[in-house]
Amino acid sequence: MMRTLPGCFKIFAICCLALLGAADAKAQATTGDTYYQTFPDLLTTRFYLSGKYTGFRIREKTDNTRYVYMPNTSLNMGVGATYKWATLNLAYGFGFLNPDHNQGDTRYLDLQAHIYPRKFVIDAFGQFYKGYHLEERGRGARSDDDFYVRPDIVLTKIGASVQYLFNHERFSYRAAFMQNEWQQKSAGSFLLGFEMYGGRIAGDSVLVPVPLIGSEAGNFTKLNFFEFGPNAGYAYTLVIKKHFFITGSASANLGVGYSEKQEDAGTHTEWGINPNLFLRGFVGYNAGRWAISANYVRNNVRVISNQGFSNTIMTGNYRLNFVYRFTTGPKLNQRILRHIDRLGAE
């Protein structure tokens, strides 16, 4: 069965990342009545199902052979709340949601922060995984019913993306992702920014299954990478009859960097330029007091090609939200929410 690192690390990380939204505390939007409505004095609560993953693909260019490694991560059930700029979500991967499919054991700490100040889109990644399996059942395994499991493979990815949202007066990311706003008219916006990623993939033996290695260059055990560069994109929300919405966002990055492939014979380093892709999709129904939505965020980081091998790290986050907004009582206001108001005023 799948296991995560201790929950206290997740809670601490979520709380810290939520505080990053304080930069937008003063921007409580006064233009929302035309294109989107804000709920500055309501507490947005949610019950949700969510999942995260970070996998990687190894592609041998000579014959276009691909090996896709995926972790055995959990489907989580949780609750959360958003008040103005602050968000806290707590979830757990219950056993009845995660039957064992003999895909091995994965230990992981997956930190993803998708923060939406009024004028910016901020994404931060910290992925620490150990334990993978080939996505295709039977490939490289002893039988067609088994998965090729590699408990020794570790993956680390750290990175961030910052984008400026040009049409922030009409377009709201928060309405789709955080549900503390309500997009009532269709609108879109161009995005422009910068992103940077680095990390490594390593195993106790060669990463490509030994029976499937097609060339001598495939005998590598470690892969280090780093890249950075500008990005640009566009986001749009289609609103149907004021309540139904479909939001899509796509941005491309031109990353300059290097990859370092290590094997028994030595180390080989390549420098180059790679295009990367960042996709977001949201669909749902929004109203004054409640909302329901499904979200999917996908970040693909292509590692610089090295000796005929092109590798990609794929990070995803999907969630189904059931949301209700309510007016808070005096006890909650005095004990907790007044501190958030005070931080927003400073």
Side-chain angles (χ1 to χ4, degrees), residues 122-136:
I122 303 172
D123 301 280
F125 300 94
Q127 273 86 39
F128 308 91
Y129 280 75
K130 183 176 182 179
Y132 280 85
H133 65 276
L134 278 183
E135 185 178 46
E136 184 179 344

Side-chain angles (χ1 to χ4, degrees), residues 128-198:
F128 308 91
Y129 280 75
K130 183 176 182 179
Y132 280 85
H133 65 276
L134 278 183
E135 185 178 46
E136 184 179 344
R137 185 189 293 270
R139 191 178 187 194
R142 295 181 178 179
S143 71
D144 293 339
D145 295 328
D146 294 331
F147 288 93
Y148 177 75
V149 177
R150 291 290 302 272
D152 59 297
I153 291 181
V154 296
L155 181 150
T156 300
K157 171 192 166 187
I158 298 175
S161 170
V162 179
Q163 295 178 301
Y164 182 76
L165 186 68
F166 285 90
N167 194 20
H168 55 270
E169 294 182 352
R170 295 185 176 183
F171 176 82
S172 170
Y173 258 123
R174 295 175 174 180
F177 191 81
M178 299 170 62
Q179 301 90 41
N180 63 338
E181 295 181 348
W182 174 9
Q183 185 88 37
Q184 298 179 341
K185 292 184 180 180
S186 299
S189 177
F190 285 101
L191 305 161
L192 186 64
F194 186 88
E195 57 192 77
M196 178 171 58
Y197 305 100

Side-chain angles (χ1 to χ4, degrees), residues 266-281:
T267 300
H268 191 272
T269 302
E270 290 283 353
W271 285 82
I273 300 176
N274 255 343
N276 296 318
L277 192 62
F278 206 142
L279 301 174
R280 308 171 205 257

